[in-house]
Amino acid sequence: MTQVKPDTAANTMWGGRFATGPDAIMTAINASIGFDKRLYAQDIAGSRAHAAMLAATGILSASDAEAIREGLLTVLSEIESGQFAFRADLEDIHLNVESRLTELVGEAGKRLHTARSRNDQVAVDFRLWVRDQCDAAMSGLTTLMRAFLAQAEAGADWVMPGFTHLQTAQPVTWGHHMMAYVEMFARDRGRFEDARRRMNECPLGAAALAGTGFPIDRHMTARALGFDRPTANSLDSVADRDFALEFLGAASICAMHLSRFAEELVIWSSAQFRFVRLSDKWTTGSSIMPQKKNPDAAELLRAKIGRILGATFALFTVMKGLPLTYSKDMQEDKEQVFDAADTLMLALAAMTGMVADMTANRDALRAAAASGFSTATDLADWLVRSLGLPFRTAHHVTGSLVALAEAKGCDLPDLTLAEMQSAHPGISEEVFSVLGVENSVRSRQSYGGTAPDQVRSQIARWKAALG
Ligand code: ARG
């Protein structure tokens, strides 16, 4: 058997008990620096808070703490200016930063890791990063909600068909349809807000898993990093990735909402529907068919949920069955969350742009709303209200009139009074007033209904809420 030669000497950070360094392939599978360098700012912030606390509690001298503080600022500027040489043999961002710090400030740098482990370090870094992403998602969603609100306001009383089973159901208003998405994205925002609140506890100080014998002040580091409090159980602190899963869960539901509107845009912008015109900024042409204007952004938004949901599945699969506490499996958490977060932010921005720039075709919406017997329910309701028929009977009478209109190739308002009376002799001229789509939507005054007054009051409520 051939022995693969280690390509490096034992690791400088933890190599005390190792005679040789790792195999090159071990370095490749083990190192996370290729992706976790994205956590550099959080890692340095965590180390700064830790060093300041070590000094305040007398664990570290004031001069060492000052040397560490200045050294960490130098590392930060080296990374931000692209001068920092990341090393795979140093595995991850934590060891890369600490090693460079020690090069810069000597012995003091070697004291930074007192009362700390990479286990609580990565837990705090990643939490800080995910917390920022929750904030970004919330603000992206607020902007998106504003774009839907503007659309709703412009067409609060424009009539369009409402669908079930993608079959014409009842007339609704454009404003009402837009506001449905405001509700959906508001719930999404609430989910990120909840997740953020729950994750806002600081795991730093849990050390490897058991806490530490040093007299640290976990409340101080928690405060310095903007957390509400320290986490209460050191084992849970290093083993937990719920915060990432909750972020992914909220992101998945949000991506699902984005995909639903994206699908509506694909349908609505087609030549068969012509409900909306997408701006040139969010569409592409075809290299062969000159007439084409493809809704590529909408199609991509429809698809992006695949990546985000995939990341969610991947992280659940990594975490399931892991014994407490930290296992290296958990290093596989980051790339999934990074990609999902990047995808979500891009998707939110693209949807916001597309919604802001799209133009609803009021006439096409109105024409579609008036076809497909969309006011059949209004007719049945009229039979109940005016003639006192039981709803089931009214439903049957209306059904026969729909069949008659279908056979004649016309819509309900085009039937004559005599034809109406053939289905029920009590029907009078008054029935025609409920067959118009405008009257239909205006009548739906129940709270949350599609009547323009209702829609306008929801718009006003949301405008006040969004400020
Ligand atoms: N790179 C590691 C990760 O992302 C950091 C924690 C390593 N801890 C350890 N005990 N090896 O999970």
Side-chain angles (χ1 to χ4, degrees), residues 17-52:
R17 65 165 291 181
F18 288 73
T20 67
D23 188 272
I25 292 171
M26 174 58 183
T27 301
I29 194 171
N30 191 43
S32 53
I33 189 63
F35 48 89
D36 70 11
K37 60 180 161 207
R38 260 186 102 157
L39 299 175
Y40 75 87
Q42 289 76 12
D43 195 70
I44 290 170
S47 287
R48 287 183 61 187
H50 183 65

PDB file of all heavy atoms in Angstrom, residues 17-52:
ATOM      1  N   ARG A  17       0.130  17.757  19.253  1.00  0.00           N
ATOM      2  CA  ARG A  17       0.207  16.298  19.386  1.00  0.00           C
ATOM      3  C   ARG A  17       0.317  15.571  18.048  1.00  0.00           C
ATOM      4  O   ARG A  17       0.165  14.360  17.966  1.00  0.00           O
ATOM      5  CB  ARG A  17      -1.003  15.775  20.174  1.00  0.00           C
ATOM      6  CG  ARG A  17      -2.328  15.982  19.483  1.00  0.00           C
ATOM      7  CD  ARG A  17      -3.414  15.151  20.113  1.00  0.00           C
ATOM      8  NE  ARG A  17      -3.200  13.723  19.841  1.00  0.00           N
ATOM      9  CZ  ARG A  17      -4.000  12.753  20.257  1.00  0.00           C
ATOM     10  NH1 ARG A  17      -5.042  13.041  20.995  1.00  0.00           N
ATOM     11  NH2 ARG A  17      -3.772  11.497  19.950  1.00  0.00           N
ATOM     12  N   PHE A  18       0.517  16.314  16.982  1.00  0.00           N
ATOM     13  CA  PHE A  18       0.589  15.697  15.651  1.00  0.00           C
ATOM     14  C   PHE A  18       2.019  15.643  15.145  1.00  0.00           C
ATOM     15  O   PHE A  18       2.745  16.625  15.237  1.00  0.00           O
ATOM     16  CB  PHE A  18      -0.275  16.484  14.649  1.00  0.00           C
ATOM     17  CG  PHE A  18      -1.748  16.289  14.868  1.00  0.00           C
ATOM     18  CD1 PHE A  18      -2.388  16.872  15.955  1.00  0.00           C
ATOM     19  CD2 PHE A  18      -2.492  15.512  14.001  1.00  0.00           C
ATOM     20  CE1 PHE A  18      -3.750  16.681  16.170  1.00  0.00           C
ATOM     21  CE2 PHE A  18      -3.844  15.329  14.202  1.00  0.00           C
ATOM     22  CZ  PHE A  18      -4.476  15.907  15.291  1.00  0.00           C
ATOM     23  N   ALA A  19       2.399  14.480  14.611  1.00  0.00           N
ATOM     24  CA  ALA A  19       3.752  14.340  14.069  1.00  0.00           C
ATOM     25  C   ALA A  19       3.821  14.888  12.656  1.00  0.00           C
ATOM     26  O   ALA A  19       4.832  15.450  12.241  1.00  0.00           O
ATOM     27  CB  ALA A  19       4.155  12.867  14.085  1.00  0.00           C
ATOM     28  N   THR A  20       2.732  14.725  11.896  1.00  0.00           N
ATOM     29  CA  THR A  20       2.752  15.207  10.517  1.00  0.00           C
ATOM     30  C   THR A  20       1.505  16.047  10.259  1.00  0.00           C
ATOM     31  O   THR A  20       0.546  16.010  11.046  1.00  0.00           O
ATOM     32  CB  THR A  20       2.704  14.040   9.504  1.00  0.00           C
ATOM     33  OG1 THR A  20       1.421  13.425   9.616  1.00  0.00           O
ATOM     34  CG2 THR A  20       3.805  13.041   9.735  1.00  0.00           C
ATOM     35  N   GLY A  21       1.537  16.732   9.141  1.00  0.00           N
ATOM     36  CA  GLY A  21       0.362  17.498   8.725  1.00  0.00           C
ATOM     37  C   GLY A  21      -0.622  16.591   8.012  1.00  0.00           C
ATOM     38  O   GLY A  21      -0.365  15.397   7.824  1.00  0.00           O
ATOM     39  N   PRO A  22      -1.737  17.142   7.607  1.00  0.00           N
ATOM     40  CA  PRO A  22      -2.774  16.350   6.952  1.00  0.00           C
ATOM     41  C   PRO A  22      -2.442  16.027   5.505  1.00  0.00           C
ATOM     42  O   PRO A  22      -1.639  16.725   4.873  1.00  0.00           O
ATOM     43  CB  PRO A  22      -3.992  17.270   7.016  1.00  0.00           C
ATOM     44  CG  PRO A  22      -3.412  18.639   7.036  1.00  0.00           C
ATOM     45  CD  PRO A  22      -2.112  18.561   7.754  1.00  0.00           C
ATOM     46  N   ASP A  23      -3.047  15.004   4.991  1.00  0.00           N
ATOM     47  CA  ASP A  23      -2.991  14.690   3.577  1.00  0.00           C
ATOM     48  C   ASP A  23      -3.591  15.867   2.793  1.00  0.00           C
ATOM     49  O   ASP A  23      -4.473  16.566   3.294  1.00  0.00           O
ATOM     50  CB  ASP A  23      -3.823  13.432   3.322  1.00  0.00           C
ATOM     51  CG  ASP A  23      -3.670  12.928   1.918  1.00  0.00           C
ATOM     52  OD1 ASP A  23      -4.430  13.385   1.033  1.00  0.00           O
ATOM     53  OD2 ASP A  23      -2.765  12.108   1.695  1.00  0.00           O
ATOM     54  N   ALA A  24      -3.106  16.039   1.563  1.00  0.00           N
ATOM     55  CA  ALA A  24      -3.604  17.160   0.761  1.00  0.00           C
ATOM     56  C   ALA A  24      -5.115  17.057   0.547  1.00  0.00           C
ATOM     57  O   ALA A  24      -5.837  18.062   0.552  1.00  0.00           O
ATOM     58  CB  ALA A  24      -2.891  17.200  -0.589  1.00  0.00           C
ATOM     59  N   ILE A  25      -5.587  15.834   0.395  1.00  0.00           N
ATOM     60  CA  ILE A  25      -7.026  15.660   0.175  1.00  0.00           C
ATOM     61  C   ILE A  25      -7.790  15.945   1.474  1.00  0.00           C
ATOM     62  O   ILE A  25      -8.893  16.500   1.455  1.00  0.00           O
ATOM     63  CB  ILE A  25      -7.322  14.251  -0.371  1.00  0.00           C
ATOM     64  CG1 ILE A  25      -6.746  14.150  -1.789  1.00  0.00           C
ATOM     65  CG2 ILE A  25      -8.826  13.973  -0.412  1.00  0.00           C
ATOM     66  CD1 ILE A  25      -6.766  12.769  -2.374  1.00  0.00           C
ATOM     67  N   MET A  26      -7.168  15.603   2.592  1.00  0.00           N
ATOM     68  CA  MET A  26      -7.777  15.951   3.887  1.00  0.00           C
ATOM     69  C   MET A  26      -7.922  17.468   4.001  1.00  0.00           C
ATOM     70  O   MET A  26      -8.973  17.979   4.431  1.00  0.00           O
ATOM     71  CB  MET A  26      -6.917  15.396   5.031  1.00  0.00           C
ATOM     72  CG  MET A  26      -7.379  15.831   6.407  1.00  0.00           C
ATOM     73  SD  MET A  26      -9.104  15.350   6.752  1.00  0.00           S
ATOM     74  CE  MET A  26      -9.325  16.082   8.363  1.00  0.00           C
ATOM     75  N   THR A  27      -6.886  18.181   3.592  1.00  0.00           N
ATOM     76  CA  THR A  27      -6.958  19.644   3.639  1.00  0.00           C
ATOM     77  C   THR A  27      -8.115  20.136   2.769  1.00  0.00           C
ATOM     78  O   THR A  27      -8.878  21.017   3.161  1.00  0.00           O
ATOM     79  CB  THR A  27      -5.629  20.276   3.180  1.00  0.00           C
ATOM     80  OG1 THR A  27      -4.601  19.807   4.051  1.00  0.00           O
ATOM     81  CG2 THR A  27      -5.681  21.793   3.220  1.00  0.00           C
ATOM     82  N   ALA A  28      -8.251  19.504   1.595  1.00  0.00           N
ATOM     83  CA  ALA A  28      -9.296  19.947   0.674  1.00  0.00           C
ATOM     84  C   ALA A  28     -10.693  19.714   1.236  1.00  0.00           C
ATOM     85  O   ALA A  28     -11.573  20.570   1.118  1.00  0.00           O
ATOM     86  CB  ALA A  28      -9.149  19.236  -0.671  1.00  0.00           C
ATOM     87  N   ILE A  29     -10.878  18.561   1.880  1.00  0.00           N
ATOM     88  CA  ILE A  29     -12.241  18.281   2.379  1.00  0.00           C
ATOM     89  C   ILE A  29     -12.496  18.992   3.705  1.00  0.00           C
ATOM     90  O   ILE A  29     -13.631  19.334   4.038  1.00  0.00           O
ATOM     91  CB  ILE A  29     -12.509  16.762   2.500  1.00  0.00           C
ATOM     92  CG1 ILE A  29     -14.017  16.505   2.676  1.00  0.00           C
ATOM     93  CG2 ILE A  29     -11.726  16.106   3.633  1.00  0.00           C
ATOM     94  CD1 ILE A  29     -14.412  15.053   2.591  1.00  0.00           C
ATOM     95  N   ASN A  30     -11.440  19.253   4.429  1.00  0.00           N
ATOM     96  CA  ASN A  30     -11.575  19.794   5.788  1.00  0.00           C
ATOM     97  C   ASN A  30     -11.679  21.322   5.822  1.00  0.00           C
ATOM     98  O   ASN A  30     -12.364  21.886   6.665  1.00  0.00           O
ATOM     99  CB  ASN A  30     -10.356  19.340   6.606  1.00  0.00           C
ATOM    100  CG  ASN A  30     -10.514  19.625   8.084  1.00  0.00           C
ATOM    101  OD1 ASN A  30     -11.589  19.400   8.642  1.00  0.00           O
ATOM    102  ND2 ASN A  30      -9.471  20.110   8.718  1.00  0.00           N
ATOM    103  N   ALA A  31     -10.979  21.962   4.900  1.00  0.00           N
ATOM    104  CA  ALA A  31     -10.905  23.425   4.967  1.00  0.00           C
ATOM    105  C   ALA A  31     -12.240  24.056   4.595  1.00  0.00           C
ATOM    106  O   ALA A  31     -12.894  23.642   3.641  1.00  0.00           O
ATOM    107  CB  ALA A  31      -9.815  23.923   4.026  1.00  0.00           C
ATOM    108  N   SER A  32     -12.619  25.056   5.344  1.00  0.00           N
ATOM    109  CA  SER A  32     -13.839  25.799   5.022  1.00  0.00           C
ATOM    110  C   SER A  32     -13.524  27.234   4.619  1.00  0.00           C
ATOM    111  O   SER A  32     -14.428  28.001   4.299  1.00  0.00           O
ATOM    112  CB  SER A  32     -14.792  25.795   6.226  1.00  0.00           C
ATOM    113  OG  SER A  32     -14.137  26.260   7.387  1.00  0.00           O
ATOM    114  N   ILE A  33     -12.239  27.581   4.616  1.00  0.00           N
ATOM    115  CA  ILE A  33     -11.874  28.984   4.388  1.00  0.00           C
ATOM    116  C   ILE A  33     -12.386  29.502   3.043  1.00  0.00           C
ATOM    117  O   ILE A  33     -12.734  30.677   2.915  1.00  0.00           O
ATOM    118  CB  ILE A  33     -10.335  29.211   4.527  1.00  0.00           C
ATOM    119  CG1 ILE A  33     -10.011  30.698   4.516  1.00  0.00           C
ATOM    120  CG2 ILE A  33      -9.550  28.436   3.474  1.00  0.00           C
ATOM    121  CD1 ILE A  33     -10.599  31.490   5.667  1.00  0.00           C
ATOM    122  N   GLY A  34     -12.471  28.589   2.061  1.00  0.00           N
ATOM    123  CA  GLY A  34     -12.954  28.988   0.729  1.00  0.00           C
ATOM    124  C   GLY A  34     -14.314  29.670   0.791  1.00  0.00           C
ATOM    125  O   GLY A  34     -14.618  30.543  -0.016  1.00  0.00           O
ATOM    126  N   PHE A  35     -15.132  29.266   1.741  1.00  0.00           N
ATOM    127  CA  PHE A  35     -16.449  29.912   1.847  1.00  0.00           C
ATOM    128  C   PHE A  35     -16.641  30.691   3.148  1.00  0.00           C
ATOM    129  O   PHE A  35     -17.279  31.725   3.162  1.00  0.00           O
ATOM    130  CB  PHE A  35     -17.598  28.913   1.636  1.00  0.00           C
ATOM    131  CG  PHE A  35     -17.489  27.634   2.432  1.00  0.00           C
ATOM    132  CD1 PHE A  35     -18.027  27.552   3.699  1.00  0.00           C
ATOM    133  CD2 PHE A  35     -16.861  26.510   1.902  1.00  0.00           C
ATOM    134  CE1 PHE A  35     -17.947  26.375   4.429  1.00  0.00           C
ATOM    135  CE2 PHE A  35     -16.771  25.320   2.635  1.00  0.00           C
ATOM    136  CZ  PHE A  35     -17.314  25.248   3.899  1.00  0.00           C
ATOM    137  N   ASP A  36     -16.033  30.200   4.267  1.00  0.00           N
ATOM    138  CA  ASP A  36     -16.366  30.921   5.507  1.00  0.00           C
ATOM    139  C   ASP A  36     -15.580  32.220   5.671  1.00  0.00           C
ATOM    140  O   ASP A  36     -15.792  32.954   6.642  1.00  0.00           O
ATOM    141  CB  ASP A  36     -16.312  30.008   6.745  1.00  0.00           C
ATOM    142  CG  ASP A  36     -14.919  29.562   7.145  1.00  0.00           C
ATOM    143  OD1 ASP A  36     -13.938  30.104   6.616  1.00  0.00           O
ATOM    144  OD2 ASP A  36     -14.827  28.657   8.006  1.00  0.00           O
ATOM    145  N   LYS A  37     -14.733  32.548   4.673  1.00  0.00           N
ATOM    146  CA  LYS A  37     -14.108  33.878   4.742  1.00  0.00           C
ATOM    147  C   LYS A  37     -15.162  34.979   4.666  1.00  0.00           C
ATOM    148  O   LYS A  37     -14.915  36.113   5.068  1.00  0.00           O
ATOM    149  CB  LYS A  37     -13.035  34.047   3.664  1.00  0.00           C
ATOM    150  CG  LYS A  37     -13.494  33.914   2.257  1.00  0.00           C
ATOM    151  CD  LYS A  37     -12.290  34.119   1.338  1.00  0.00           C
ATOM    152  CE  LYS A  37     -12.580  33.547  -0.032  1.00  0.00           C
ATOM    153  NZ  LYS A  37     -11.380  33.131  -0.727  1.00  0.00           N
ATOM    154  N   ARG A  38     -16.348  34.607   4.211  1.00  0.00           N
ATOM    155  CA  ARG A  38     -17.455  35.579   4.212  1.00  0.00           C
ATOM    156  C   ARG A  38     -17.827  36.025   5.618  1.00  0.00           C
ATOM    157  O   ARG A  38     -18.525  37.014   5.781  1.00  0.00           O
ATOM    158  CB  ARG A  38     -18.694  34.929   3.596  1.00  0.00           C
ATOM    159  CG  ARG A  38     -18.882  35.325   2.171  1.00  0.00           C
ATOM    160  CD  ARG A  38     -20.166  34.793   1.648  1.00  0.00           C
ATOM    161  NE  ARG A  38     -21.198  35.812   1.595  1.00  0.00           N
ATOM    162  CZ  ARG A  38     -22.236  35.740   0.803  1.00  0.00           C
ATOM    163  NH1 ARG A  38     -22.383  34.714   0.013  1.00  0.00           N
ATOM    164  NH2 ARG A  38     -23.130  36.697   0.791  1.00  0.00           N
ATOM    165  N   LEU A  39     -17.382  35.269   6.605  1.00  0.00           N
ATOM    166  CA  LEU A  39     -17.722  35.615   7.989  1.00  0.00           C
ATOM    167  C   LEU A  39     -16.660  36.488   8.648  1.00  0.00           C
ATOM    168  O   LEU A  39     -16.661  36.664   9.859  1.00  0.00           O
ATOM    169  CB  LEU A  39     -17.905  34.342   8.825  1.00  0.00           C
ATOM    170  CG  LEU A  39     -19.006  33.370   8.398  1.00  0.00           C
ATOM    171  CD1 LEU A  39     -18.968  32.108   9.265  1.00  0.00           C
ATOM    172  CD2 LEU A  39     -20.378  34.031   8.514  1.00  0.00           C
ATOM    173  N   TYR A  40     -15.733  37.042   7.836  1.00  0.00           N
ATOM    174  CA  TYR A  40     -14.583  37.713   8.453  1.00  0.00           C
ATOM    175  C   TYR A  40     -15.000  38.868   9.374  1.00  0.00           C
ATOM    176  O   TYR A  40     -14.462  39.026  10.466  1.00  0.00           O
ATOM    177  CB  TYR A  40     -13.600  38.194   7.375  1.00  0.00           C
ATOM    178  CG  TYR A  40     -14.050  39.416   6.628  1.00  0.00           C
ATOM    179  CD1 TYR A  40     -13.770  40.697   7.103  1.00  0.00           C
ATOM    180  CD2 TYR A  40     -14.778  39.304   5.446  1.00  0.00           C
ATOM    181  CE1 TYR A  40     -14.210  41.824   6.428  1.00  0.00           C
ATOM    182  CE2 TYR A  40     -15.225  40.417   4.775  1.00  0.00           C
ATOM    183  CZ  TYR A  40     -14.943  41.672   5.261  1.00  0.00           C
ATOM    184  OH  TYR A  40     -15.394  42.778   4.614  1.00  0.00           O
ATOM    185  N   ALA A  41     -15.961  39.677   8.934  1.00  0.00           N
ATOM    186  CA  ALA A  41     -16.331  40.852   9.741  1.00  0.00           C
ATOM    187  C   ALA A  41     -16.962  40.405  11.066  1.00  0.00           C
ATOM    188  O   ALA A  41     -16.675  40.983  12.128  1.00  0.00           O
ATOM    189  CB  ALA A  41     -17.305  41.739   8.968  1.00  0.00           C
ATOM    190  N   GLN A  42     -17.796  39.372  10.991  1.00  0.00           N
ATOM    191  CA  GLN A  42     -18.430  38.851  12.208  1.00  0.00           C
ATOM    192  C   GLN A  42     -17.377  38.215  13.118  1.00  0.00           C
ATOM    193  O   GLN A  42     -17.434  38.349  14.340  1.00  0.00           O
ATOM    194  CB  GLN A  42     -19.497  37.809  11.840  1.00  0.00           C
ATOM    195  CG  GLN A  42     -20.750  38.367  11.183  1.00  0.00           C
ATOM    196  CD  GLN A  42     -20.575  38.747   9.717  1.00  0.00           C
ATOM    197  OE1 GLN A  42     -19.574  38.413   9.074  1.00  0.00           O
ATOM    198  NE2 GLN A  42     -21.553  39.455   9.182  1.00  0.00           N
ATOM    199  N   ASP A  43     -16.416  37.526  12.499  1.00  0.00           N
ATOM    200  CA  ASP A  43     -15.380  36.866  13.298  1.00  0.00           C
ATOM    201  C   ASP A  43     -14.544  37.893  14.055  1.00  0.00           C
ATOM    202  O   ASP A  43     -14.238  37.723  15.238  1.00  0.00           O
ATOM    203  CB  ASP A  43     -14.486  36.010  12.390  1.00  0.00           C
ATOM    204  CG  ASP A  43     -13.642  35.043  13.209  1.00  0.00           C
ATOM    205  OD1 ASP A  43     -14.219  34.095  13.774  1.00  0.00           O
ATOM    206  OD2 ASP A  43     -12.419  35.268  13.318  1.00  0.00           O
ATOM    207  N   ILE A  44     -14.209  38.966  13.364  1.00  0.00           N
ATOM    208  CA  ILE A  44     -13.386  40.005  13.997  1.00  0.00           C
ATOM    209  C   ILE A  44     -14.202  40.751  15.055  1.00  0.00           C
ATOM    210  O   ILE A  44     -13.704  41.033  16.158  1.00  0.00           O
ATOM    211  CB  ILE A  44     -12.787  40.935  12.917  1.00  0.00           C
ATOM    212  CG1 ILE A  44     -11.724  40.148  12.135  1.00  0.00           C
ATOM    213  CG2 ILE A  44     -12.206  42.204  13.542  1.00  0.00           C
ATOM    214  CD1 ILE A  44     -11.197  40.817  10.899  1.00  0.00           C
ATOM    215  N   ALA A  45     -15.457  41.008  14.771  1.00  0.00           N
ATOM    216  CA  ALA A  45     -16.310  41.670  15.778  1.00  0.00           C
ATOM    217  C   ALA A  45     -16.420  40.796  17.032  1.00  0.00           C
ATOM    218  O   ALA A  45     -16.338  41.297  18.165  1.00  0.00           O
ATOM    219  CB  ALA A  45     -17.700  41.945  15.194  1.00  0.00           C
ATOM    220  N   GLY A  46     -16.607  39.493  16.832  1.00  0.00           N
ATOM    221  CA  GLY A  46     -16.703  38.572  17.967  1.00  0.00           C
ATOM    222  C   GLY A  46     -15.415  38.554  18.769  1.00  0.00           C
ATOM    223  O   GLY A  46     -15.432  38.569  20.007  1.00  0.00           O
ATOM    224  N   SER A  47     -14.282  38.547  18.077  1.00  0.00           N
ATOM    225  CA  SER A  47     -12.995  38.523  18.769  1.00  0.00           C
ATOM    226  C   SER A  47     -12.744  39.829  19.517  1.00  0.00           C
ATOM    227  O   SER A  47     -12.184  39.823  20.619  1.00  0.00           O
ATOM    228  CB  SER A  47     -11.856  38.295  17.760  1.00  0.00           C
ATOM    229  OG  SER A  47     -11.888  36.948  17.331  1.00  0.00           O
ATOM    230  N   ARG A  48     -13.149  40.918  18.937  1.00  0.00           N
ATOM    231  CA  ARG A  48     -12.977  42.211  19.626  1.00  0.00           C
ATOM    232  C   ARG A  48     -13.796  42.237  20.914  1.00  0.00           C
ATOM    233  O   ARG A  48     -13.311  42.668  21.964  1.00  0.00           O
ATOM    234  CB  ARG A  48     -13.377  43.370  18.708  1.00  0.00           C
ATOM    235  CG  ARG A  48     -12.360  43.620  17.602  1.00  0.00           C
ATOM    236  CD  ARG A  48     -12.745  44.804  16.756  1.00  0.00           C
ATOM    237  NE  ARG A  48     -12.812  46.047  17.545  1.00  0.00           N
ATOM    238  CZ  ARG A  48     -13.246  47.205  17.091  1.00  0.00           C
ATOM    239  NH1 ARG A  48     -13.661  47.306  15.833  1.00  0.00           N
ATOM    240  NH2 ARG A  48     -13.254  48.259  17.852  1.00  0.00           N
ATOM    241  N   ALA A  49     -15.034  41.775  20.834  1.00  0.00           N
ATOM    242  CA  ALA A  49     -15.890  41.754  22.023  1.00  0.00           C
ATOM    243  C   ALA A  49     -15.302  40.817  23.076  1.00  0.00           C
ATOM    244  O   ALA A  49     -15.283  41.126  24.271  1.00  0.00           O
ATOM    245  CB  ALA A  49     -17.308  41.312  21.651  1.00  0.00           C
ATOM    246  N   HIS A  50     -14.782  39.682  22.607  1.00  0.00           N
ATOM    247  CA  HIS A  50     -14.214  38.691  23.534  1.00  0.00           C
ATOM    248  C   HIS A  50     -12.981  39.274  24.236  1.00  0.00           C
ATOM    249  O   HIS A  50     -12.853  39.171  25.469  1.00  0.00           O
ATOM    250  CB  HIS A  50     -13.856  37.423  22.751  1.00  0.00           C
ATOM    251  CG  HIS A  50     -13.324  36.306  23.594  1.00  0.00           C
ATOM    252  ND1 HIS A  50     -14.087  35.669  24.546  1.00  0.00           N
ATOM    253  CD2 HIS A  50     -12.095  35.715  23.629  1.00  0.00           C
ATOM    254  CE1 HIS A  50     -13.356  34.729  25.136  1.00  0.00           C
ATOM    255  NE2 HIS A  50     -12.144  34.733  24.601  1.00  0.00           N
ATOM    256  N   ALA A  51     -12.097  39.900  23.476  1.00  0.00           N
ATOM    257  CA  ALA A  51     -10.864  40.451  24.059  1.00  0.00           C
ATOM    258  C   ALA A  51     -11.183  41.570  25.059  1.00  0.00           C
ATOM    259  O   ALA A  51     -10.588  41.636  26.144  1.00  0.00           O
ATOM    260  CB  ALA A  51      -9.953  40.969  22.948  1.00  0.00           C
ATOM    261  N   ALA A  52     -12.142  42.425  24.704  1.00  0.00           N
ATOM    262  CA  ALA A  52     -12.501  43.516  25.615  1.00  0.00           C
ATOM    263  C   ALA A  52     -13.056  42.947  26.919  1.00  0.00           C
ATOM    264  O   ALA A  52     -12.753  43.448  28.009  1.00  0.00           O
ATOM    265  CB  ALA A  52     -13.533  44.439  24.940  1.00  0.00           C
TER     266      ALA A  52
END
